mmCIF file of all heavy atoms in Angstrom:
data_model
loop_
_atom_site.group_PDB
_atom_site.id
_atom_site.type_symbol
_atom_site.label_atom_id
_atom_site.label_comp_id
_atom_site.label_asym_id
_atom_site.label_seq_id
_atom_site.Cartn_x
_atom_site.Cartn_y
_atom_site.Cartn_z
ATOM 1 N N LEU A 1 -2.054 14.465 23.383
ATOM 2 C CA LEU A 1 -1.779 14.890 24.699
ATOM 3 C C LEU A 1 -0.935 16.108 24.867
ATOM 4 O O LEU A 1 -0.640 16.656 25.949
ATOM 5 C CB LEU A 1 -0.927 13.667 25.356
ATOM 6 C CG LEU A 1 -1.584 12.431 25.703
ATOM 7 C CD1 LEU A 1 -0.575 11.325 26.046
ATOM 8 C CD2 LEU A 1 -2.653 12.563 26.880
ATOM 9 N N GLY A 2 -0.573 16.672 23.678
ATOM 10 C CA GLY A 2 0.222 17.898 23.678
ATOM 11 C C GLY A 2 1.714 17.802 23.942
ATOM 12 O O GLY A 2 2.381 18.751 24.225
ATOM 13 N N ILE A 3 2.276 16.572 23.565
ATOM 14 C CA ILE A 3 3.627 16.292 23.796
ATOM 15 C C ILE A 3 4.463 17.102 22.796
ATOM 16 O O ILE A 3 4.161 17.033 21.504
ATOM 17 C CB ILE A 3 3.904 14.708 23.609
ATOM 18 C CG1 ILE A 3 3.138 13.877 24.728
ATOM 19 C CG2 ILE A 3 5.379 14.479 23.679
ATOM 20 C CD1 ILE A 3 3.333 14.313 26.103
ATOM 21 N N SER A 4 5.395 17.758 23.126
ATOM 22 C CA SER A 4 6.197 18.548 22.226
ATOM 23 C C SER A 4 7.368 17.751 21.797
ATOM 24 O O SER A 4 8.040 17.964 20.685
ATOM 25 C CB SER A 4 6.669 19.839 22.823
ATOM 26 O OG SER A 4 7.602 19.662 23.847
ATOM 27 N N HIS A 5 7.985 16.901 22.597
ATOM 28 C CA HIS A 5 9.231 16.110 22.295
ATOM 29 C C HIS A 5 9.039 14.693 22.921
ATOM 30 O O HIS A 5 8.609 14.525 23.978
ATOM 31 C CB HIS A 5 10.409 16.750 22.869
ATOM 32 C CG HIS A 5 10.871 18.021 22.032
ATOM 33 N ND1 HIS A 5 10.115 19.245 22.219
ATOM 34 C CD2 HIS A 5 11.833 18.167 21.104
ATOM 35 C CE1 HIS A 5 10.681 20.013 21.475
ATOM 36 N NE2 HIS A 5 11.688 19.369 20.787
ATOM 37 N N LEU A 6 9.513 13.709 22.100
ATOM 38 C CA LEU A 6 9.654 12.309 22.664
ATOM 39 C C LEU A 6 11.014 12.244 23.195
ATOM 40 O O LEU A 6 11.959 12.574 22.413
ATOM 41 C CB LEU A 6 9.330 11.302 21.505
ATOM 42 C CG LEU A 6 9.008 9.971 21.889
ATOM 43 C CD1 LEU A 6 7.788 9.852 22.654
ATOM 44 C CD2 LEU A 6 9.038 9.163 20.561
ATOM 45 N N TYR A 7 11.237 11.827 24.406
ATOM 46 C CA TYR A 7 12.549 11.612 24.961
ATOM 47 C C TYR A 7 12.801 10.152 25.008
ATOM 48 O O TYR A 7 12.153 9.422 25.827
ATOM 49 C CB TYR A 7 12.627 12.308 26.247
ATOM 50 C CG TYR A 7 13.876 12.028 27.142
ATOM 51 C CD1 TYR A 7 15.146 12.102 26.627
ATOM 52 C CD2 TYR A 7 13.690 11.652 28.447
ATOM 53 C CE1 TYR A 7 16.262 11.774 27.318
ATOM 54 C CE2 TYR A 7 14.923 11.304 29.290
ATOM 55 C CZ TYR A 7 16.150 11.555 28.577
ATOM 56 O OH TYR A 7 17.337 11.171 29.360
ATOM 57 N N ALA A 8 13.760 9.604 24.131
ATOM 58 C CA ALA A 8 13.816 8.234 23.923
ATOM 59 C C ALA A 8 15.100 7.651 24.698
ATOM 60 O O ALA A 8 16.143 8.275 24.671
ATOM 61 C CB ALA A 8 14.030 7.852 22.434
ATOM 62 N N SER A 9 15.015 6.412 25.133
ATOM 63 C CA SER A 9 16.152 5.713 25.553
ATOM 64 C C SER A 9 17.079 5.439 24.535
ATOM 65 O O SER A 9 16.660 5.716 23.467
ATOM 66 C CB SER A 9 15.716 4.477 26.237
ATOM 67 O OG SER A 9 14.977 3.671 25.310
ATOM 68 N N PRO A 10 18.282 5.036 24.753
ATOM 69 C CA PRO A 10 19.288 4.865 23.616
ATOM 70 C C PRO A 10 18.702 3.970 22.608
ATOM 71 O O PRO A 10 17.954 3.011 22.797
ATOM 72 C CB PRO A 10 20.401 4.188 24.363
ATOM 73 C CG PRO A 10 20.315 4.662 25.718
ATOM 74 C CD PRO A 10 18.836 4.748 26.098
ATOM 75 N N VAL A 11 19.116 4.242 21.355
ATOM 76 C CA VAL A 11 18.598 3.630 20.076
ATOM 77 C C VAL A 11 19.686 2.837 19.481
ATOM 78 O O VAL A 11 19.410 2.048 18.516
ATOM 79 C CB VAL A 11 17.874 4.483 19.198
ATOM 80 C CG1 VAL A 11 16.688 5.216 19.852
ATOM 81 C CG2 VAL A 11 18.894 5.465 18.604
ATOM 82 N N TRP A 12 20.804 2.779 20.035
ATOM 83 C CA TRP A 12 22.017 2.091 19.459
ATOM 84 C C TRP A 12 21.863 0.670 19.689
ATOM 85 O O TRP A 12 21.206 0.128 20.587
ATOM 86 C CB TRP A 12 23.277 2.612 19.855
ATOM 87 C CG TRP A 12 23.331 4.248 19.903
ATOM 88 C CD1 TRP A 12 23.400 4.923 21.000
ATOM 89 C CD2 TRP A 12 22.852 5.125 18.756
ATOM 90 N NE1 TRP A 12 23.228 6.365 20.693
ATOM 91 C CE2 TRP A 12 22.955 6.435 19.408
ATOM 92 C CE3 TRP A 12 22.599 4.983 17.415
ATOM 93 C CZ2 TRP A 12 22.561 7.562 18.607
ATOM 94 C CZ3 TRP A 12 22.374 6.034 16.757
ATOM 95 C CH2 TRP A 12 22.303 7.255 17.292
ATOM 96 N N THR A 13 22.681 -0.229 19.051
ATOM 97 C CA THR A 13 22.714 -1.655 19.273
ATOM 98 C C THR A 13 23.261 -1.904 20.567
ATOM 99 O O THR A 13 24.373 -1.499 20.975
ATOM 100 C CB THR A 13 23.648 -2.337 18.125
ATOM 101 O OG1 THR A 13 23.033 -2.012 16.763
ATOM 102 C CG2 THR A 13 23.585 -3.736 18.340
ATOM 103 N N ALA A 14 22.461 -2.560 21.351
ATOM 104 C CA ALA A 14 22.883 -2.957 22.836
ATOM 105 C C ALA A 14 23.138 -4.505 22.910
ATOM 106 O O ALA A 14 22.936 -5.167 21.922
ATOM 107 C CB ALA A 14 21.709 -2.580 23.749
ATOM 108 N N SER A 15 23.581 -4.985 24.052
ATOM 109 C CA SER A 15 23.720 -6.350 24.191
ATOM 110 C C SER A 15 22.475 -7.100 23.907
ATOM 111 O O SER A 15 21.399 -6.615 24.107
ATOM 112 C CB SER A 15 23.977 -6.550 25.857
ATOM 113 O OG SER A 15 25.303 -5.938 26.185
ATOM 114 N N PRO A 16 22.672 -8.329 23.381
ATOM 115 C CA PRO A 16 21.497 -8.992 22.812
ATOM 116 C C PRO A 16 20.391 -9.291 23.888
ATOM 117 O O PRO A 16 19.258 -9.285 23.592
ATOM 118 C CB PRO A 16 22.148 -10.404 22.537
ATOM 119 C CG PRO A 16 23.560 -10.056 22.168
ATOM 120 C CD PRO A 16 23.861 -8.980 23.047
ATOM 121 N N GLU A 17 20.719 -9.378 25.239
ATOM 122 C CA GLU A 17 19.863 -9.616 26.250
ATOM 123 C C GLU A 17 19.307 -8.357 26.903
ATOM 124 O O GLU A 17 18.581 -8.362 27.922
ATOM 125 C CB GLU A 17 20.413 -10.481 27.292
ATOM 126 C CG GLU A 17 21.565 -9.981 28.147
ATOM 127 C CD GLU A 17 22.893 -10.049 27.325
ATOM 128 O OE1 GLU A 17 23.053 -10.633 26.300
ATOM 129 O OE2 GLU A 17 23.969 -9.603 27.755
ATOM 130 N N SER A 18 19.682 -7.122 26.344
ATOM 131 C CA SER A 18 19.403 -5.815 26.959
ATOM 132 C C SER A 18 17.787 -5.701 27.046
ATOM 133 O O SER A 18 17.013 -5.950 26.078
ATOM 134 C CB SER A 18 19.940 -4.769 26.181
ATOM 135 O OG SER A 18 19.670 -3.563 26.749
ATOM 136 N N THR A 19 17.311 -5.121 28.160
ATOM 137 C CA THR A 19 15.942 -4.791 28.246
ATOM 138 C C THR A 19 15.739 -3.157 28.363
ATOM 139 O O THR A 19 14.706 -2.640 28.522
ATOM 140 C CB THR A 19 15.345 -5.353 29.528
ATOM 141 O OG1 THR A 19 16.164 -4.925 30.656
ATOM 142 C CG2 THR A 19 15.327 -6.933 29.560
ATOM 143 N N HIS A 20 16.895 -2.475 28.221
ATOM 144 C CA HIS A 20 16.947 -1.057 28.426
ATOM 145 C C HIS A 20 17.610 -0.180 27.386
ATOM 146 O O HIS A 20 17.353 0.927 27.375
ATOM 147 C CB HIS A 20 17.165 -0.629 29.801
ATOM 148 C CG HIS A 20 18.527 -1.378 30.367
ATOM 149 N ND1 HIS A 20 19.708 -1.126 29.713
ATOM 150 C CD2 HIS A 20 18.630 -2.433 31.074
ATOM 151 C CE1 HIS A 20 20.724 -1.863 30.280
ATOM 152 N NE2 HIS A 20 20.182 -2.562 31.040
ATOM 153 N N GLY A 21 18.567 -0.844 26.842
ATOM 154 C CA GLY A 21 19.333 -0.123 25.853
ATOM 155 C C GLY A 21 20.593 0.668 26.349
ATOM 156 O O GLY A 21 21.354 1.308 25.559
ATOM 157 N N TYR A 22 20.774 0.643 27.633
ATOM 158 C CA TYR A 22 21.899 1.380 28.258
ATOM 159 C C TYR A 22 23.334 0.536 28.275
ATOM 160 O O TYR A 22 24.213 1.095 28.760
ATOM 161 C CB TYR A 22 21.556 1.960 29.565
ATOM 162 C CG TYR A 22 20.551 3.160 29.584
ATOM 163 C CD1 TYR A 22 19.284 2.832 29.572
ATOM 164 C CD2 TYR A 22 21.070 4.519 29.451
ATOM 165 C CE1 TYR A 22 18.303 4.029 29.456
ATOM 166 C CE2 TYR A 22 20.105 5.509 29.387
ATOM 167 C CZ TYR A 22 18.895 5.269 29.348
ATOM 168 O OH TYR A 22 17.986 6.383 29.410
ATOM 169 N N ASP A 23 23.288 -0.472 27.700
ATOM 170 C CA ASP A 23 24.561 -1.364 27.655
ATOM 171 C C ASP A 23 24.895 -1.498 26.160
ATOM 172 O O ASP A 23 24.907 -2.637 25.594
ATOM 173 C CB ASP A 23 24.260 -2.697 28.276
ATOM 174 C CG ASP A 23 22.950 -3.408 27.935
ATOM 175 O OD1 ASP A 23 22.190 -2.872 27.164
ATOM 176 O OD2 ASP A 23 22.711 -4.465 28.431
ATOM 177 N N VAL A 24 25.213 -0.386 25.530
ATOM 178 C CA VAL A 24 25.437 -0.265 24.128
ATOM 179 C C VAL A 24 26.638 -1.021 23.741
ATOM 180 O O VAL A 24 27.766 -0.927 24.404
ATOM 181 C CB VAL A 24 25.559 1.316 23.624
ATOM 182 C CG1 VAL A 24 26.050 1.312 22.320
ATOM 183 C CG2 VAL A 24 24.212 1.935 23.815
ATOM 184 N N VAL A 25 26.563 -1.876 22.647
ATOM 185 C CA VAL A 25 27.856 -2.486 22.217
ATOM 186 C C VAL A 25 28.298 -2.125 20.854
ATOM 187 O O VAL A 25 29.424 -2.284 20.439
ATOM 188 C CB VAL A 25 27.636 -4.189 22.300
ATOM 189 C CG1 VAL A 25 27.549 -4.607 23.613
ATOM 190 C CG2 VAL A 25 26.493 -4.462 21.178
ATOM 191 N N ASP A 26 27.425 -1.291 20.186
ATOM 192 C CA ASP A 26 27.906 -0.712 18.840
ATOM 193 C C ASP A 26 27.137 0.617 18.635
ATOM 194 O O ASP A 26 26.007 0.653 18.256
ATOM 195 C CB ASP A 26 27.471 -1.792 17.628
ATOM 196 C CG ASP A 26 28.112 -1.228 16.396
ATOM 197 O OD1 ASP A 26 28.528 -0.103 16.315
ATOM 198 O OD2 ASP A 26 27.965 -1.885 15.351
ATOM 199 N N PRO A 27 27.849 1.511 19.013
ATOM 200 C CA PRO A 27 27.201 2.972 19.018
ATOM 201 C C PRO A 27 27.179 3.459 17.538
ATOM 202 O O PRO A 27 26.733 4.569 17.243
ATOM 203 C CB PRO A 27 28.131 3.979 19.781
ATOM 204 C CG PRO A 27 29.460 3.286 19.754
ATOM 205 C CD PRO A 27 29.182 1.677 19.724
ATOM 206 N N GLY A 28 27.618 2.746 16.561
ATOM 207 C CA GLY A 28 27.607 3.109 15.194
ATOM 208 C C GLY A 28 26.376 2.502 14.452
ATOM 209 O O GLY A 28 26.195 2.863 13.221
ATOM 210 N N THR A 29 25.616 1.715 15.102
ATOM 211 C CA THR A 29 24.360 1.237 14.408
ATOM 212 C C THR A 29 23.179 1.309 15.264
ATOM 213 O O THR A 29 23.300 1.217 16.523
ATOM 214 C CB THR A 29 24.536 -0.285 13.975
ATOM 215 O OG1 THR A 29 24.878 -1.052 15.231
ATOM 216 C CG2 THR A 29 25.931 -0.522 13.181
ATOM 217 N N VAL A 30 21.991 1.540 14.554
ATOM 218 C CA VAL A 30 20.783 1.588 15.330
ATOM 219 C C VAL A 30 20.294 0.149 15.570
ATOM 220 O O VAL A 30 20.438 -0.672 14.561
ATOM 221 C CB VAL A 30 19.747 2.292 14.401
ATOM 222 C CG1 VAL A 30 18.363 2.378 15.161
ATOM 223 C CG2 VAL A 30 20.137 3.785 14.286
ATOM 224 N N SER A 31 19.747 -0.034 16.663
ATOM 225 C CA SER A 31 19.349 -1.472 17.001
ATOM 226 C C SER A 31 18.290 -2.096 16.087
ATOM 227 O O SER A 31 17.342 -1.522 15.826
ATOM 228 C CB SER A 31 18.663 -1.360 18.551
ATOM 229 O OG SER A 31 18.181 -2.650 18.696
ATOM 230 N N GLU A 32 18.692 -3.119 15.528
ATOM 231 C CA GLU A 32 17.740 -3.850 14.687
ATOM 232 C C GLU A 32 16.539 -4.383 15.573
ATOM 233 O O GLU A 32 15.325 -4.505 15.013
ATOM 234 C CB GLU A 32 18.395 -5.153 13.921
ATOM 235 C CG GLU A 32 19.284 -4.596 12.881
ATOM 236 C CD GLU A 32 18.605 -3.820 11.760
ATOM 237 O OE1 GLU A 32 17.444 -4.183 11.442
ATOM 238 O OE2 GLU A 32 19.268 -2.901 11.230
ATOM 239 N N THR A 33 16.777 -4.715 16.833
ATOM 240 C CA THR A 33 15.709 -5.155 17.516
ATOM 241 C C THR A 33 14.626 -4.080 17.687
ATOM 242 O O THR A 33 13.333 -4.365 17.771
ATOM 243 C CB THR A 33 16.145 -5.438 19.096
ATOM 244 O OG1 THR A 33 17.187 -6.509 18.933
ATOM 245 C CG2 THR A 33 15.027 -5.867 20.045
ATOM 246 N N LEU A 34 15.006 -2.848 17.710
ATOM 247 C CA LEU A 34 14.102 -1.848 17.860
ATOM 248 C C LEU A 34 13.441 -1.368 16.452
ATOM 249 O O LEU A 34 12.332 -0.734 16.480
ATOM 250 C CB LEU A 34 14.612 -0.516 18.373
ATOM 251 C CG LEU A 34 15.414 -0.678 19.707
ATOM 252 C CD1 LEU A 34 16.058 0.610 20.208
ATOM 253 C CD2 LEU A 34 14.406 -1.325 20.805
ATOM 254 N N GLY A 35 14.077 -1.773 15.407
ATOM 255 C CA GLY A 35 13.566 -1.526 14.044
ATOM 256 C C GLY A 35 14.537 -1.027 13.102
ATOM 257 O O GLY A 35 14.291 -0.669 11.867
ATOM 258 N N GLY A 36 15.790 -0.900 13.568
ATOM 259 C CA GLY A 36 16.867 -0.519 12.674
ATOM 260 C C GLY A 36 16.789 0.990 12.387
ATOM 261 O O GLY A 36 15.950 1.693 12.701
ATOM 262 N N GLU A 37 17.731 1.335 11.497
ATOM 263 C CA GLU A 37 17.796 2.795 11.088
ATOM 264 C C GLU A 37 16.580 3.166 10.259
ATOM 265 O O GLU A 37 16.073 4.252 10.444
ATOM 266 C CB GLU A 37 19.181 2.988 10.177
ATOM 267 C CG GLU A 37 19.229 4.372 9.844
ATOM 268 C CD GLU A 37 20.535 4.732 9.034
ATOM 269 O OE1 GLU A 37 21.555 3.949 9.121
ATOM 270 O OE2 GLU A 37 20.612 5.778 8.457
ATOM 271 N N ALA A 38 16.049 2.357 9.415
ATOM 272 C CA ALA A 38 14.807 2.603 8.633
ATOM 273 C C ALA A 38 13.676 2.872 9.574
ATOM 274 O O ALA A 38 12.887 3.925 9.315
ATOM 275 C CB ALA A 38 14.501 1.474 7.624
ATOM 276 N N GLY A 39 13.488 1.988 10.623
ATOM 277 C CA GLY A 39 12.421 2.277 11.644
ATOM 278 C C GLY A 39 12.572 3.562 12.376
ATOM 279 O O GLY A 39 11.605 4.285 12.710
ATOM 280 N N LEU A 40 13.734 3.898 12.643
ATOM 281 C CA LEU A 40 14.092 5.280 13.393
ATOM 282 C C LEU A 40 13.774 6.400 12.451
ATOM 283 O O LEU A 40 13.137 7.397 12.913
ATOM 284 C CB LEU A 40 15.462 5.278 13.827
ATOM 285 C CG LEU A 40 15.891 6.560 14.618
ATOM 286 C CD1 LEU A 40 15.070 6.676 15.843
ATOM 287 C CD2 LEU A 40 17.446 6.515 14.967
ATOM 288 N N ARG A 41 14.080 6.270 11.257
ATOM 289 C CA ARG A 41 13.791 7.324 10.202
ATOM 290 C C ARG A 41 12.192 7.463 10.147
ATOM 291 O O ARG A 41 11.659 8.577 10.010
ATOM 292 C CB ARG A 41 14.344 7.137 8.895
ATOM 293 C CG ARG A 41 15.854 7.299 9.002
ATOM 294 C CD ARG A 41 16.631 7.021 7.526
ATOM 295 N NE ARG A 41 17.946 7.116 7.639
ATOM 296 C CZ ARG A 41 18.682 8.276 7.462
ATOM 297 N NH1 ARG A 41 17.991 9.376 7.303
ATOM 298 N NH2 ARG A 41 19.991 8.279 7.522
ATOM 299 N N GLN A 42 11.569 6.413 10.040
ATOM 300 C CA GLN A 42 10.065 6.421 9.990
ATOM 301 C C GLN A 42 9.559 7.040 11.240
ATOM 302 O O GLN A 42 8.536 7.751 11.109
ATOM 303 C CB GLN A 42 9.477 5.021 9.795
ATOM 304 C CG GLN A 42 9.805 4.427 8.435
ATOM 305 C CD GLN A 42 9.422 2.931 8.359
ATOM 306 O OE1 GLN A 42 9.180 2.167 9.389
ATOM 307 N NE2 GLN A 42 9.454 2.402 7.229
ATOM 308 N N LEU A 43 10.011 6.649 12.383
ATOM 309 C CA LEU A 43 9.503 7.376 13.602
ATOM 310 C C LEU A 43 9.798 8.839 13.502
ATOM 311 O O LEU A 43 8.794 9.548 13.873
ATOM 312 C CB LEU A 43 10.314 6.742 14.853
ATOM 313 C CG LEU A 43 9.911 7.465 16.214
ATOM 314 C CD1 LEU A 43 8.565 7.431 16.487
ATOM 315 C CD2 LEU A 43 10.733 6.773 17.301
ATOM 316 N N ARG A 44 10.899 9.254 13.149
ATOM 317 C CA ARG A 44 11.216 10.693 13.013
ATOM 318 C C ARG A 44 10.303 11.346 12.099
ATOM 319 O O ARG A 44 9.745 12.442 12.466
ATOM 320 C CB ARG A 44 12.675 10.744 12.526
ATOM 321 C CG ARG A 44 13.050 12.339 12.245
ATOM 322 C CD ARG A 44 14.131 12.507 11.229
ATOM 323 N NE ARG A 44 13.690 11.947 9.888
ATOM 324 C CZ ARG A 44 14.537 11.630 8.941
ATOM 325 N NH1 ARG A 44 15.823 11.891 8.984
ATOM 326 N NH2 ARG A 44 14.061 11.088 7.815
#
């Protein structure tokens, strides 16, 4: 599609019931629900 950048919603650990990630409860860890730090590195 010619996308130059992916603009992602927050990736940090959010409230367990979060559907959007904007209610972060631990800004020091990447959400395991999303794939954790390893998953984020693979995406990168």
Side-chain angles (χ1 to χ4, degrees):
L1 290 170
I3 301 302
S4 69
H5 287 76
L6 195 66
Y7 172 46
S9 60
V11 299
W12 318 121
T13 301
S15 297
E17 63 279 354
S18 180
T19 59
H20 47 72
Y22 285 91
D23 46 0
V24 173
V25 296
D26 187 352
T29 61
V30 177
S31 171
E32 289 299 326
T33 300
L34 304 181
E37 186 173 339
L40 180 58
R41 288 179 186 275
Q42 290 170 348
L43 173 59
R44 177 207 57 201

